[in-house]
Amino acid sequence: QFLVGYNTGVMNAPEKVVFPGHSTGLWSLAVAAFAVGGPFGAIAGGRLADTRGRRGALLIDTWTFLLGGLLQTFAPDMYTIVISRFIIGFASGFSSVLVPIYLGELAPPTLRGMLGTLTQFAMVTGILVADLFAFPFATESSWRVLFSITVITTVIQLLCAPLLLESPRWLLSRDPSSLRARYIIKQLRGLRYDHDVENELGNYIIGGAAQEQEEKSQSVVLKEMLSHRKLRSLLVSSLVLQMAQQLSGINAVFYYSTSFFEGVIDNPLVGTTVVGAVNVVATYVALLLMDSHGRKTLILWSSGGMFLSCIVIMLSLKGYFSNILALVAVNAYVSFFEIGLGPIPWLIVAEMFEGKYVAVAMSICSQLNWACNFIIGLVFPYMNTVLKEYSFGPFALVLAFTFVYTLLVLPETQGTTPEELIAEMTRRNSRSMIYQVNEEDVGAIDLEWRKAMEQLMQEEETQMQKGDYDYGFNPIDKQQQQKK
């Protein structure tokens, strides 16, 4: 997710030094191509996660980032930059689907919330790092160094690939008797006795079986959602919040704040970096507020605060207030975004819908979010040129509508927090084990496990020595043929 954030912000500063003389339209297309690739990557990420495994899909995603980064770093012209941005956007959409799945299946219930939070921190930190690196590298002679950070980061990730574990849930979905899945569960949970692993294994199998029972085709689920009045209303609310998140203009700030701050402060890069730093701090504050205040309340504070910030920004640009106040208002705008419209549109989907509807609702929301992201990335430079001091006016209108819609229509979903839901699922799973291990058989099971694990480790060492160890790139069908 660091790379997603970094590549969101990296095009902000070097607009005037990357192939000087390009048109506004061509640069806007390069920025917006990131959002064009995102939906395609999101679709591919879900499919490859099922066919190649979570680990294999993550490696493919890393190689995709590397390809896009190399093209961007060594691009001979702006058209290659556009292509590279599409590829990087594809990889970003890929990871936006894959990373939550991977962490959700590996992390214990007590750490899932924290790890989910860290992914958001990684993304906003990536934006901040892009702003900081712009100071030394956003020049005509060094802009390629700015783009090469993507390459360097992906190379580090590939060097760490041997430490990357496959998801035990995915392994068990393919083979319930998988020794590798049991070995990974033991490593992840730090279990001392192997019969404890068998108990933990029961939770994985029950969760997978329950999920399979709920599976329906997307078209059937979507028809069911649209035919049910309450579900249809919830889906509309989810889509409104996704549109509000992007059409409120937040990515106009992250994509173009350097050009926006020109004439407002002496060094636009300083303003951009301050916004990036405030974004990181605001993300942390949002975590403290998220479970102590209702979702609806936070959306109202967020949209209302952003609306007032837009008004102050426009009045400052008109000369009614000082330019410094414009900078303060932009930072307030970003801060209010992070406490509500930033995280809640995604969080609220899981709280609004039952498990069998969440995947379809999330897929539709993701596609709409990327589409609105593309519109903002492509259109804002023209808005800034035509509307000038009133460039934040359309965003203010969107935020006013969001405030009214939230106040009158949006339901409150905070009833139970995600952590409480996870704890409840864990308690249900622990009360409905597939089987319990007989205490008298514990010694025999441990002995059998030790022998099986030793055999598995020996097989892996032999494969590594021969050079035919599978690192996650072989298709499943091919792997099964090799076993036969």
Side-chain angles (χ1 to χ4, degrees), residues 22-101:
H22 58 72
S23 66
T24 300
L26 188 56
W27 185 261
S28 299
L29 183 61
V31 172
F34 178 80
V36 176
F40 295 99
I43 294 170
R47 292 178 178 175
L48 287 174
D50 288 334
T51 58
R52 299 297 181 93
R54 311 325 190 204
R55 181 180 184 274
L58 281 170
L59 290 174
I60 292 172
D61 189 38
T62 304
W63 283 105
T64 307
F65 267 118
L66 180 61
L67 174 62
L70 287 171
L71 275 177
Q72 192 173 30
T73 302
F74 298 104
D77 52 43
M78 274 300 300
Y79 296 100
T80 308
I81 294 285
V82 173
I83 295 171
S84 68
R85 288 285 294 174
F86 175 84
I87 294 173
I88 292 173
F90 180 94
S92 298
F94 196 122
S95 68
S96 69
V97 170
L98 186 60
V99 170
I101 293 174

Side-chain angles (χ1 to χ4, degrees), residues 435-480:
Y435 54 85
Q436 297 288 343
V437 177
N438 191 327
E439 295 296 333
E440 296 178 358
D441 297 332
V442 165
I445 291 175
D446 285 346
L447 179 60
E448 182 180 349
W449 257 84
R450 281 194 292 272
K451 290 181 179 179
M453 290 301 104
E454 289 173 2
Q455 179 182 353
L456 180 61
M457 294 173 67
Q458 289 174 358
E459 290 176 356
E460 288 182 349
E461 290 176 1
T462 302
Q463 291 173 354
M464 289 180 182
Q465 292 172 358
K466 291 181 178 180
D468 57 0
Y469 180 69
D470 170 36
Y471 287 93
F473 292 102
N474 291 333
I476 300 304
D477 293 341
K478 185 176 178 182
Q479 292 178 20
Q480 291 174 346

Side-chain angles (χ1 to χ4, degrees), residues 12-27:
N12 197 332
E15 178 180 359
K16 293 186 176 180
V17 299
V18 178
F19 301 114
H22 58 72
S23 66
T24 300
L26 188 56
W27 185 261

Side-chain angles (χ1 to χ4, degrees), residues 49-273:
D50 288 334
T51 58
R52 299 297 181 93
R54 311 325 190 204
R55 181 180 184 274
L58 281 170
L59 290 174
I60 292 172
D61 189 38
T62 304
W63 283 105
T64 307
F65 267 118
L66 180 61
L67 174 62
L70 287 171
L71 275 177
Q72 192 173 30
T73 302
F74 298 104
D77 52 43
M78 274 300 300
Y79 296 100
T80 308
I81 294 285
V82 173
I83 295 171
S84 68
R85 288 285 294 174
F86 175 84
I87 294 173
I88 292 173
F90 180 94
S92 298
F94 196 122
S95 68
S96 69
V97 170
L98 186 60
V99 170
I101 293 174
Y102 184 70
L103 291 179
E105 292 182 348
L106 261 69
T110 54
L111 295 180
R112 284 175 193 156
M114 184 191 73
L115 291 175
T117 299
L118 289 178
T119 61
Q120 179 71 10
F121 265 115
M123 187 168 70
V124 297
T125 301
I127 295 174
L128 177 60
V129 170
D131 296 337
L132 292 172
F133 281 8
F135 281 97
F137 299 128
T139 63
E140 290 190 26
S141 60
S142 302
W143 60 265
R144 294 184 188 275
V145 177
L146 194 62
F147 290 155
S148 70
I149 300 300
T150 297
V151 177
I152 294 170
T153 305
T154 53
V155 169
I156 293 173
Q157 289 178 338
L158 289 172
L159 291 175
C160 296
L163 303 176
L164 197 63
L165 299 174
E166 182 54 88
S167 163
R169 175 161 291 174
W170 180 81
L171 290 171
L172 291 168
S173 71
R174 296 283 169 173
D175 179 13
S177 62
S178 171
L179 288 177
R180 188 180 302 279
R182 288 162 168 78
Y183 180 62
I184 291 173
I185 290 172
K186 189 173 184 179
Q187 284 184 296
L188 289 173
R189 299 294 184 261
L191 299 175
R192 182 177 179 182
Y193 299 107
D194 294 316
H195 61 275
D196 292 333
V197 178
E198 292 295 323
N199 285 339
E200 182 70 14
L201 182 70
N203 292 335
Y204 275 95
I205 295 177
I206 283 180
Q211 185 174 354
E212 288 178 4
Q213 291 175 358
E214 294 288 342
E215 284 184 354
K216 297 180 182 178
S217 68
Q218 287 198 1
S219 60
V220 172
V221 174
L222 181 57
K223 288 179 181 178
E224 185 177 338
M225 293 172 69
L226 294 177
S227 63
H228 193 289
R229 187 177 62 85
K230 184 176 180 181
L231 290 175
R232 185 169 62 246
S233 175
L234 293 177
L235 181 61
V236 169
S237 293
S238 298
L239 296 177
V240 167
L241 289 182
Q242 293 294 332
M243 293 175 65
Q245 185 191 73
Q246 291 300 325
L247 298 183
S248 66
I250 190 65
N251 275 325
V253 174
F254 294 139
Y255 289 154
Y256 299 112
S257 62
T258 300
S259 60
F260 173 78
F261 282 131
E262 287 182 358
V264 178
I265 58 176
D266 295 334
N267 189 343
L269 278 179
V270 172
T272 297
T273 305

Side-chain angles (χ1 to χ4, degrees), residues 151 217 232 287 297 312 360 368 442:
V151 177
S217 68
R232 185 169 62 246
L287 300 176
T297 301
V312 174
V360 173
L368 181 62
V442 165

Side-chain angles (χ1 to χ4, degrees), residues 297-482:
T297 301
L298 290 176
I299 289 289
L300 288 171
W301 276 100
S302 179
S303 57
M306 292 176 74
F307 172 80
L308 293 177
S309 298
C310 286
I311 300 300
V312 174
I313 290 170
M314 290 188 289
L315 292 176
S316 298
L317 294 178
K318 287 290 291 182
Y320 292 102
F321 303 121
S322 67
N323 288 341
I324 294 299
L325 188 58
L327 176 61
V328 172
V330 170
N331 283 287
Y333 169 89
V334 171
S335 299
F336 278 115
F337 174 83
E338 289 298 348
I339 68 169
L341 279 177
I344 290 178
W346 298 109
L347 175 63
I348 209 170
V349 175
E351 295 180 336
M352 279 184 169
F353 297 100
E354 297 177 34
K356 61 182 177 180
Y357 301 122
V358 168
V360 173
M362 191 68 77
S363 176
I364 297 172
C365 288
S366 178
Q367 302 300 316
L368 181 62
N369 189 281
W370 279 107
C372 293
N373 189 338
F374 169 75
I375 292 171
I376 293 298
L378 187 65
V379 171
F380 182 74
Y382 298 101
M383 287 174 50
N384 200 25
T385 301
V386 174
L387 298 178
K388 297 180 180 178
E389 296 90 346
Y390 298 103
S391 58
F392 272 66
F395 303 147
L397 292 177
V398 171
L399 290 163
F401 169 79
T402 304
F403 183 90
V404 173
Y405 183 89
T406 303
L407 183 64
L408 300 179
V409 179
L410 189 71
E412 178 57 72
T413 65
Q414 197 202 4
T416 55
T417 67
E419 288 76 13
E420 289 171 341
L421 292 173
I422 290 171
E424 179 59 26
M425 290 172 63
T426 304
R427 285 194 295 270
R428 287 202 304 265
N429 286 340
S430 65
R431 289 196 299 263
S432 56
M433 302 296 295
I434 287 180
Y435 54 85
Q436 297 288 343
V437 177
N438 191 327
E439 295 296 333
E440 296 178 358
D441 297 332
V442 165
I445 291 175
D446 285 346
L447 179 60
E448 182 180 349
W449 257 84
R450 281 194 292 272
K451 290 181 179 179
M453 290 301 104
E454 289 173 2
Q455 179 182 353
L456 180 61
M457 294 173 67
Q458 289 174 358
E459 290 176 356
E460 288 182 349
E461 290 176 1
T462 302
Q463 291 173 354
M464 289 180 182
Q465 292 172 358
K466 291 181 178 180
D468 57 0
Y469 180 69
D470 170 36
Y471 287 93
F473 292 102
N474 291 333
I476 300 304
D477 293 341
K478 185 176 178 182
Q479 292 178 20
Q480 291 174 346
Q481 290 174 2
Q482 289 175 351

